[in-house]
Amino acid sequence: MTRIEKRVLIRNSLLGFMLTLLVLFADWSGKDGLLARLENNLYDLRAKRCQYFTPPPTDRLIHLSIDDPSLQYMGQWPWSRSMLGDLVDEMRIAGAKAIAFDVLFTEEQAASFQLADQDDHQATAASDAIVERIVGSFDRVDEDAYFAAKLADFGNAILPASFAPRRAASRLHMAVYEILTKDLLLSEEEVRPLLVDADLGDGLVAFRSTVAEARKDAIYFRMMRLLDTLPDEERESLTEDKLRHLMFPEGITEMSAKLPPGLFTQQYRRATSFRALRRLARPIPPDMPPMIPVVPSLPPIPVLASAVQATGFVDHLADRDGVARSIELWRNGENWLYPQLGLMLACATLDVKIGDIELHRDRIVIPKPDGTRLTVPLFTQSTNFSTVDCGMFMLLPWFGPSSRDTDWTRMYDRSPSDNGKQFLPVLKVWEILDVQKTIRRNNLRMSDAIGYILKRSDPTKMVTFANLKLSDDDVQSRIQWLDDITSSGDLDSATGETHKLSPAEFEEILESLPEEEHEPLRIAVAAAKALPQFKQTTLDMVGKLNERRAWLRNEMNGKAVLVGFTATGRIDVTPTSLLPSCPGPVVHGVVFNAIMNGDVWYRASPWVTRGLTLLVGLLATAIVAYFHPVNALLSSIAVAIGYLLFNGLFLFDYNNYIVGLAGPLVAILLVWSGCTLMRFIVERAERRHIENRFRSYVDPALVNFVIDNPDKIHLEGESRELTVVFTDLAGFTTLSEKLKERVVPILNEYMARMVTIIRNESKPSNRRGYRNKFLGDGIMFFFGAPYHNAAHAVDAVATVLSMQEAMVAFNQWLADQNLTSVSMRAGVSTGQMVVGDAGSPDASDYTVLGDDVNFGARLESANKATGTLVMVSQRTRELCGDLFLFRPLARLQVVGKTESALVYEPITYHETATPKQIDYVARTSAMIDAFTRGAFMECIELILNMVESMA
């Protein structure tokens, strides 16, 4: 393992561990934490998609829905309590095991006066007995008492109460409450001076509202304390007036004047109702966790509270994002525990008494009739209503096909053909009442017709029939009387067989009779003709009634019935993990299903999730540290998917075990991304460090080229026309002998100045020179590689001229240090060269090779013979064109060459050349030309002239 790899491993390991700790901290902050929303979304996703091992839902629950069609045909809510009682009675007949209403009956309903047959019944004076019967049918119906009686007859009925959560009371509320408990009749003006150091709120309106709420609480709790102190017999006979006298012995008049109208009556009903419900609660056992503070606000009215055998609260809290994922199973109402409605309905169906349920801090145990014991895990969580975590919460185990659609009526379907059969509209039960009403109406009409016939045929029988006082539902007795009338001749005796005549014949008979006989005979004949129709119609309706009751029994027999609203505008909508909007009764049904099926979800300790987060984070750290980034990415994705499947299918779906998803998944993502970024940064920094170090040994041009084009440099090299330059310092050897080791800083200064010119950062990369080697006090560099450069000769000559100019400043620097000056000689050669890596595979050098390279070195040393500083080859001169002013020097033949080559000295840029320099170059060119032609005398003459002109 290389040093860089070790450094990356160490840094990635530390970073991965720190990022994992960061995720743990974010997860530690709980429901208000940074991961809360993601955790909730993943929780909902599991509930929707992971139901492969979910057991079939219970078939022992019927949701009886108060839906839109029911309200359309049965009338708008509120329905009469007598009709609700009849509905309960029909469910009793159908064999329902238990009934729970998800409807609050908090207001009394006025009594009604009902005629037995309100539609078509007509009273006549034909018989005193019949008239007496008709008048007697106007009865005062106590709606609440009737409903209560039907609930009591059913027995296993549950009416709910509301125990609404309440935030901690303000200091002002508590201060006002303490004052009013001592004197309930104090006015607002009398309360205000008694407040000491109490914030009056936002103004007078807020203060008045606080006083009103505090007065309600003070009256209610004083009533409850007083009721608790009374003996049972006295409490049962206690009326509102008696309680008023007990609470205000000073005078009722003063109380009536100072209390708001109806306030005492309202709190009396509330107190007596909750006092009646207390028998259905259970004391709080010791060592229970804190519970959400609630207000016992909306109980059923006293007569109904006394009639039922069980109650339950219907309030439930959603999570902070508004989604119902958990529900309380118990609430503390004035130090008594009240069960949740769905739990109570399940226990009623199982014949489990509320007192038989075992209560613990973290679970309840329900002993089932079959001997099994269902343990329901409970947990505590933070809420908006308490500063401490509150307990008694149960996870809602959602289920059903609606996990993949939005139709909550299909939750209980076991097959597509079920089509929501466990959700019935209450209209289906009301239709039985409607048929029964028609039968009763026909029975009354049949009774009247029988009475009319007997009145004319046999008054004694009429009295006997009237005294029977047949019930409105007695069809068989009436048919027997009808058959008896027909067979005994009473029918013909009453009508004189005129009922057998056609209407025209009957009118002729009437004309022959006295006028006072016309109307009685008409009635008798009409009754005689209607009797067969009444009989057949009634028998048909009885058959229809039996058929519908048989259907309802098939649906409800032995099952629990949950009655609640699903109608538009009245629906208690709750967002859930499965559905964006779900009726409140469905939530209670989920609790019921969990108890009946034993299908409850277990919430893992937060430490389990934290341990998995740490484990997965460390695993991701190891993956990123040891694998290549691409392999690390694929491995991290595999770990994330594997954990998703393990958590969703094995832990959650198969074992009903809820373990956090967000923490481990975020740990994988954060560790992979953070460590990968760190690896990139570290490697980039190391690479930059190496590059910087490498640049001090190898020209940056090569470094940059290798980085940009890693596949362009070949070991065998390539042939290319390039320009190479060799330089050397004349006089430096003497200087070095004099200064010895102190010459190194001077050489470094020289090299720094010259290399800067060679690399010329202001030019594009391909126009810069490549410094190949330091040759003692000399430099070898070339142009045209590694980047292609068509102007390599021009750039080489321009660089050499710039270096010569820089020598002036360098010599001045030497003079400042009392050192002798030096001069730089340069040889520039252009030609075909082999450029590339030279050497062994593990020790190579990027350089140029060839005759023209050697020629450049010869040109540098040839400057000694010609007395020049710069000498360039003829090919260099050709490629530069007229850009520079060149002076021809001579034709040279170097060692190893059979032909001589013309060489030149670059003087300056052509555009900046002086006339003297131009003349000097012209004279030199003529001299060289004469010498080349063999005109030596002419050459000597030209030399003499040039010397004379320079004198």
Side-chain angles (χ1 to χ4, degrees):
M1 183 179 292
T2 65
R3 181 179 61 85
I4 297 178
E5 290 174 339
K6 290 180 180 179
R7 185 176 299 180
V8 169
L9 177 61
I10 294 172
R11 292 187 180 182
N12 271 359
S13 299
L14 291 175
L15 178 63
F17 182 69
M18 295 300 295
L19 291 176
T20 303
L21 292 182
L22 178 63
V23 176
L24 285 173
F25 174 77
D27 186 51
W28 207 298
S29 52
K31 286 202 166 188
D32 296 322
L34 302 174
L35 302 182
R37 176 175 292 185
L38 176 61
E39 188 65 73
N40 287 337
N41 291 338
L42 292 172
Y43 181 98
D44 297 341
L45 182 64
R46 277 179 296 184
K48 290 178 182 178
R49 301 303 177 191
C50 298
Q51 290 204 23
Y52 302 100
F53 298 98
T54 301
T58 180
D59 59 356
R60 296 192 63 186
L61 178 64
I62 295 295
H63 281 273
L64 199 61
S65 303
I66 304 175
D67 57 2
D68 290 321
S70 298
L71 293 175
Q72 179 182 355
Y73 287 99
M74 298 171 61
Q76 292 302 309
W77 189 266
W79 295 333
S80 68
R81 303 275 167 83
S82 58
M83 184 175 73
L84 290 174
D86 290 337
L87 292 173
V88 170
D89 206 38
E90 286 300 327
M91 288 185 270
R92 176 186 60 80
I93 295 172
K97 176 69 174 179
I99 299 176
F101 282 86
D102 187 14
V103 180
L104 296 173
F105 297 97
T106 60
E107 300 290 338
E108 294 183 348
Q109 195 171 80
S112 62
F113 293 87
Q114 185 174 354
L115 182 64
D117 185 5
Q118 298 180 25
D119 296 327
D120 302 316
H121 187 74
Q122 297 181 3
T124 68
S127 165
D128 292 339
I130 295 299
V131 171
E132 180 183 357
R133 182 181 186 285
I134 295 173
V135 174
S137 65
F138 285 93
D139 293 326
R140 180 182 183 279
V141 179
D142 188 331
E143 296 285 339
D144 295 327
Y146 186 87
F147 185 34
K150 293 298 183 181
L151 290 172
D153 289 344
F154 186 89
N156 215 6
I158 306 169
L159 288 187
S162 173
F163 293 84
R166 178 175 66 182
R167 296 183 187 276
S170 65
R171 290 180 57 194
L172 176 62
H173 180 95
M174 295 303 299
V176 174
Y177 175 80
E178 291 296 329
I179 293 172
L180 291 177
T181 53
K182 300 174 184 176
D183 188 348
L184 295 172
L185 301 182
L186 291 176
S187 65
E188 296 171 3
E189 292 73 16
E190 293 170 327
V191 169
R192 187 187 297 268
L194 300 177
L195 293 171
V196 179
D197 298 331
D199 184 5
L200 297 183
D202 297 330
L204 182 59
V205 175
F207 174 71
R208 287 178 174 174
S209 174
T210 301
V211 172
E213 291 301 318
R215 194 187 305 278
K216 287 180 184 179
D217 290 345
I219 293 174
Y220 171 77
F221 286 111
R222 181 181 287 191
M223 281 184 184
M224 292 299 288
R225 287 194 295 269
L226 180 58
L227 290 171
D228 289 342
T229 60
L230 294 176
D232 292 341
E233 61 276 5
E234 185 176 350
R235 184 169 52 245
E236 291 175 1
S237 62
L238 187 66
T239 63
E240 181 180 348
D241 289 336
K242 289 181 180 180
L243 183 60
R244 189 180 280 112
H245 282 284
L246 289 174
M247 291 184 63
F248 302 98
E250 303 86 359
I252 300 302
T253 304
E254 183 183 5
M255 183 216 74
S256 301
K258 291 191 174 182
L259 290 183
L263 177 60
F264 187 87
T265 299
Q266 178 191 64
Q267 299 308 309
Y268 168 76
R269 292 174 180 171
R270 177 185 172 193
T272 53
S273 294
F274 277 114
R275 194 66 182 72
L277 290 180
R278 186 178 293 176
R279 76 188 198 283
L280 307 176
R282 61 179 292 174
I284 300 180
D287 196 31
M288 285 292 103
M291 300 183 198
I292 294 177
V294 297
V295 181
S297 51
L298 298 173
I301 59 175
V303 65
L304 298 180
S306 301
V308 294
Q309 294 184 0
T311 188
F313 64 87
V314 291
D315 317 274
H316 56 85
L317 295 179
D319 286 354
R320 283 180 169 82
D321 59 357
V323 178
R325 300 184 182 90
S326 60
I327 194 168
E328 297 162 272
L329 289 188
W330 300 89
R331 277 194 175 171
N332 180 353
E334 302 170 326
N335 296 320
W336 289 82
L337 281 182
Y338 290 84
Q340 196 272 341
L341 184 67
L343 169 64
M344 196 63 248
L345 180 60
C347 290
T349 307
L350 294 171
D351 293 322
V352 176
K353 303 300 181 183
I354 185 174
D356 295 335
I357 302 175
E358 299 177 16
L359 295 180
H360 304 274
R361 287 184 63 88
D362 59 350
R363 67 192 185 281
I364 64 171
V365 180
I366 302 174
K368 293 188 176 183
D370 59 4
T372 61
R373 293 162 58 85
L374 171 64
T375 299
V376 180
L378 304 178
F379 61 91
T380 59
Q381 66 179 10
S382 62
T383 69
N384 293 327
F385 299 96
S386 177
T387 57
V388 298
D389 288 356
C390 296
M392 292 298 176
F393 280 92
M394 162 195 172
L395 291 173
L396 284 169
W398 295 101
F399 61 91
S402 55
S403 61
R404 293 171 178 81
D405 58 45
T406 58
D407 186 4
W408 42 265
T409 64
R410 298 183 58 84
M411 286 185 63
Y412 298 88
D413 291 355
R414 298 173 178 234
S415 66
S417 61
D418 288 346
N419 198 23
K421 70 176 184 178
Q422 287 182 235
F423 282 87
L424 299 181
V426 71
L427 179 64
K428 291 292 186 181
V429 183
W430 178 82
E431 287 175 347
I432 297 176
L433 301 183
D434 192 47
V435 173
Q436 193 174 45
K437 181 179 179 181
T438 302
I439 293 173
R440 289 172 177 173
R441 183 186 301 120
N442 282 351
N443 281 341
L444 291 174
R445 291 175 179 174
M446 202 181 317
S447 293
D448 286 346
I450 291 172
Y452 295 148
I453 297 299
L454 293 179
K455 197 292 185 168
R456 289 183 62 85
S457 63
D458 190 344
T460 303
K461 283 186 178 181
M462 181 198 70
V463 174
T464 302
F465 177 73
N467 289 335
L468 289 176
K469 295 183 180 180
L470 299 176
S471 70
D472 293 345
D473 295 324
D474 192 344
V475 175
Q476 194 61 38
S477 296
R478 288 178 173 85
I479 291 178
Q480 289 178 357
W481 274 88
L482 188 150
D483 292 341
D484 183 66
I485 289 172
T486 303
S487 62
S488 64
D490 288 332
L491 194 60
D492 294 340
S493 175
T495 61
E497 297 189 356
T498 55
H499 66 283
K500 299 178 182 179
L501 302 177
S502 65
E505 293 173 335
F506 177 67
E507 291 297 330
E508 290 179 2
I509 295 296
L510 282 180
E511 292 177 359
S512 64
L513 297 174
E515 187 174 346
E516 61 271 15
E517 292 289 330
H518 288 188
E519 188 61 24
L521 183 58
R522 284 182 184 276
I523 293 174
V525 170
K529 289 185 176 183
L531 279 175
Q533 180 182 352
F534 284 153
K535 175 181 177 180
Q536 188 57 47
T537 301
T538 303
L539 290 175
D540 290 343
M541 296 306 292
V542 168
K544 190 174 184 180
L545 176 66
N546 293 334
E547 179 182 341
R548 293 194 175 183
R549 279 182 170 168
W551 176 86
L552 189 65
R553 170 170 284 275
N554 182 65
E555 296 294 326
M556 289 189 177
N557 188 34
K559 299 179 181 179
V561 180
L562 180 57
V563 184
F565 276 100
T566 60
T568 305
R570 290 184 177 270
I571 187 172
D572 176 20
V573 173
T574 301
T576 71
S577 298
L578 267 60
L579 306 166
S581 59
C582 179
V586 174
V587 177
H588 305 310
V590 172
V591 177
F592 178 91
N593 178 78
I595 305 300
M596 298 299 293
N597 269 3
D599 185 37
V600 294
W601 290 355
Y602 297 85
R603 189 187 195 207
S605 167
W607 290 104
V608 174
T609 301
R610 292 163 191 164
L612 286 172
T613 300
L614 180 61
L615 178 63
V616 170
L618 295 179
L619 178 60
T621 301
I623 288 174
V624 178
Y626 282 99
F627 289 106
H628 184 273
V630 174
N631 293 334
L633 173 61
L634 296 177
S635 300
S636 298
I637 292 175
V639 171
I641 294 176
Y643 180 72
L644 272 173
L645 296 176
F646 172 74
N647 189 301
L649 297 180
F650 180 75
L651 293 179
F652 172 72
D653 193 17
Y654 188 76
N655 290 291
N656 287 358
Y657 205 57
I658 305 295
V659 180
L661 270 172
L665 292 181
V666 170
I668 294 173
L669 175 63
L670 194 60
V671 168
W672 175 83
S673 57
C675 289
T676 301
L677 180 62
M678 171 60 75
R679 181 171 188 161
F680 173 79
I681 293 173
V682 171
E683 290 182 349
R684 184 83 174 181
E686 290 292 337
R687 177 181 175 183
R688 186 170 299 168
H689 176 71
I690 292 173
E691 287 176 9
N692 293 335
R693 292 293 305 275
F694 192 44
R695 290 173 195 274
S696 65
Y697 299 102
V698 180
D699 194 285
L702 179 61
V703 177
N704 294 335
F705 186 80
V706 171
I707 292 172
D708 296 336
N709 307 277
D711 58 336
K712 294 293 182 64
I713 304 299
H714 303 290
L715 182 63
E716 64 273 12
E718 57 180 322
S719 178
R720 193 189 305 176
E721 186 179 52
L722 304 175
T723 298
V724 66
V725 180
F726 288 87
T727 68
D728 188 42
L729 281 180
F732 190 77
T733 301
T734 302
L735 186 63
S736 62
E737 290 176 350
K738 177 181 179 182
L739 297 177
K740 299 187 182 303
E741 68 275 1
R742 289 181 297 161
V743 79
V744 175
I746 297 174
L747 183 60
N748 289 342
E749 177 67 20
Y750 165 75
M751 293 297 183
R753 295 186 183 215
M754 296 302 112
V755 169
T756 300
I757 297 173
I758 295 170
R759 292 177 178 174
N760 198 347
E761 299 290 342
S762 63
K763 288 185 177 182
S765 297
N766 64 323
R767 300 294 300 275
R768 302 171 189 171
Y770 174 72
R771 194 273 308 163
N772 189 200
K773 294 181 180 66
F774 290 118
L775 306 171
D777 57 359
I779 305 173
M780 172 187 174
F781 58 96
F782 54 85
F783 291 82
Y787 294 100
H788 284 278
N789 178 12
H792 51 83
V794 173
D795 290 334
V797 174
T799 298
V800 170
L801 292 177
S802 297
M803 294 170 70
Q804 290 293 353
E805 292 177 2
M807 287 299 299
V808 176
F810 178 70
N811 281 320
Q812 182 60 48
W813 181 79
L814 290 176
D816 293 341
Q817 300 184 61
N818 298 320
L819 298 174
T820 58
S821 62
V822 294
S823 59
M824 184 191 76
R825 297 190 297 264
V828 182
S829 172
T830 300
Q832 289 292 325
M833 308 173 188
V834 176
V835 60
D837 290 341
S840 64
D842 58 346
S844 62
D845 180 27
Y846 184 74
T847 188
V848 288
L849 303 172
D851 290 341
D852 290 304
V853 176
N854 297 330
F855 186 57
R858 301 291 187 274
L859 292 179
E860 181 273 319
S861 60
N863 283 296
K864 298 177 184 179
T866 59
T868 57
L869 295 178
V870 181
M871 187 178 296
V872 304
S873 68
Q874 185 171 356
R875 178 58 179 167
T876 304
R877 166 68 183 84
E878 292 173 356
L879 292 178
C880 288
D882 296 331
L883 183 62
F884 301 100
L885 182 64
F886 286 99
R887 181 173 74 93
L889 294 177
R891 298 190 68 87
L892 297 181
Q893 183 175 353
V894 298
V895 177
K897 293 280 189 179
T898 57
E899 296 182 359
S900 62
L902 184 63
V903 295
Y904 298 83
E905 178 190 16
I907 305 299
T908 185
Y909 285 93
H910 209 290
E911 58 183 13
T912 62
T914 63
K916 186 176 180 179
Q917 289 174 324
I918 294 174
D919 179 67
Y920 176 66
V921 169
R923 290 176 182 273
T924 302
S925 297
M927 180 188 67
I928 295 298
D929 180 63
F931 184 83
T932 302
R933 288 185 283 104
F936 298 113
M937 295 303 296
E938 181 183 351
C939 179
I940 294 173
E941 184 179 354
L942 290 173
I943 292 174
L944 293 175
N945 290 337
M946 184 171 63
V947 172
E948 183 180 350
S949 65
M950 296 177 62

